[in-house]
Amino acid sequence: NAGKPLENTLRSYSRGVEIFLQRRSANKLLGWISYAYSRTRVTDVASGLRWDGDFDQPHTFNLYGSYRWTNSLNVSAKYRYGTNFPVPGFLRLEPNNISIIEQRNELRMEAYSRLDFRVNKAFRFDHLQLTLYGEVLNVLKHKNYRYSTVVDTTNGRLSFNRDSLFPLLPIAGVRIDF
């Protein structure tokens, strides 16, 4: 196709819906819950090939709750779940092997899931407030991964990398407001 002008033959769409419920309160219990369903599809009109978009994540669920025990003590929890994204490319994972297939984005990452807890304790003084906090991320120690592919153009080899996102992670800190 030498001399033929380049043209964009990709057509895509994204559609979805989200439901969000929230309880607001200055005291005691507050929080929210949400669910989203979405689809992203791409079509190459030149070849007729259709696939899920690189950032297609059909199901996403979030839950957050916070409870104020006293005027200065607060505990909260946050849970996130997502069916996750495709691994971009024409790939299929087989035992001890990755093969190249004719359909794009068939291989998906495992579901993402994370539960976090946090505690805040505030100490008030005349002109400032000191808040100590402790947090534990990924309390359930779910194995969440990020995938990437790299093509070595010199030797034609494909590298498929799987990086682990953080495991159980405790955090502590101090915040000063003045």
Side-chain angles (χ1 to χ4, degrees):
N1 294 1
K4 191 172 183 182
L6 293 176
E7 65 179 290
N8 182 359
T9 61
L10 299 181
R11 305 295 180 262
S12 60
Y13 68 85
S14 292
R15 294 187 176 97
V17 63
E18 182 174 13
I19 298 167
F20 181 88
L21 299 171
Q22 180 178 25
R23 181 182 193 282
R24 293 183 180 191
S25 174
N27 299 309
K28 302 298 178 192
L29 183 65
L30 67 94
W32 49 263
I33 185 171
S34 70
Y35 169 76
Y37 174 80
S38 64
R39 293 306 310 208
T40 302
R41 296 289 292 166
V42 179
T43 301
D44 183 341
V45 294
S47 69
L49 191 62
R50 296 177 47 115
W51 64 89
D52 291 337
D54 291 354
F55 296 98
D56 177 63
Q57 178 171 264
H59 304 282
T60 306
F61 175 76
N62 291 287
L63 177 66
Y64 173 78
S66 178
Y67 187 80
R68 184 172 304 281
W69 247 313
T70 68
N71 200 24
S72 64
L73 182 63
N74 183 65
V75 295
S76 61
K78 185 184 327 180
Y79 178 70
R80 298 176 187 135
Y81 174 86
T83 49
N84 229 328
F85 309 114
V87 176
F90 295 82
L91 307 171
R92 177 175 38 231
L93 189 59
E94 298 171 350
N96 303 320
N97 191 24
I98 297 170
S99 59
I100 296 178
I101 60 175
E102 293 182 7
Q103 182 60 42
R104 182 177 168 87
N105 291 357
E106 287 294 304
L107 178 60
R108 280 199 177 260
M109 297 185 224
E110 296 91 351
Y112 181 91
S113 177
R114 194 173 110 193
L115 175 64
D116 304 337
F117 283 115
R118 182 179 176 112
V119 176
N120 294 334
K121 173 66 177 161
F123 300 93
R124 292 179 181 86
F125 303 98
D126 288 339
H127 298 289
L128 73 106
Q129 177 175 300
L130 177 76
T131 304
L132 302 177
Y133 65 88
E135 190 167 13
V136 180
L137 305 181
N138 199 16
V139 172
L140 301 177
K141 299 180 186 175
H142 189 267
K143 300 283 186 190
N144 294 307
Y145 296 102
R146 175 182 61 206
Y147 292 91
S148 61
T149 55
V150 178
V151 177
D152 184 339
T153 56
T154 304
N155 61 22
R157 298 192 130 215
L158 172 70
S159 297
F160 184 70
N161 302 314
R162 183 171 93 161
D163 300 319
S164 178
L165 299 175
F166 59 83
L168 179 87
L169 182 63
I171 299 171
V174 176
R175 188 178 87 196
I176 301 171
D177 296 305
F178 52 92

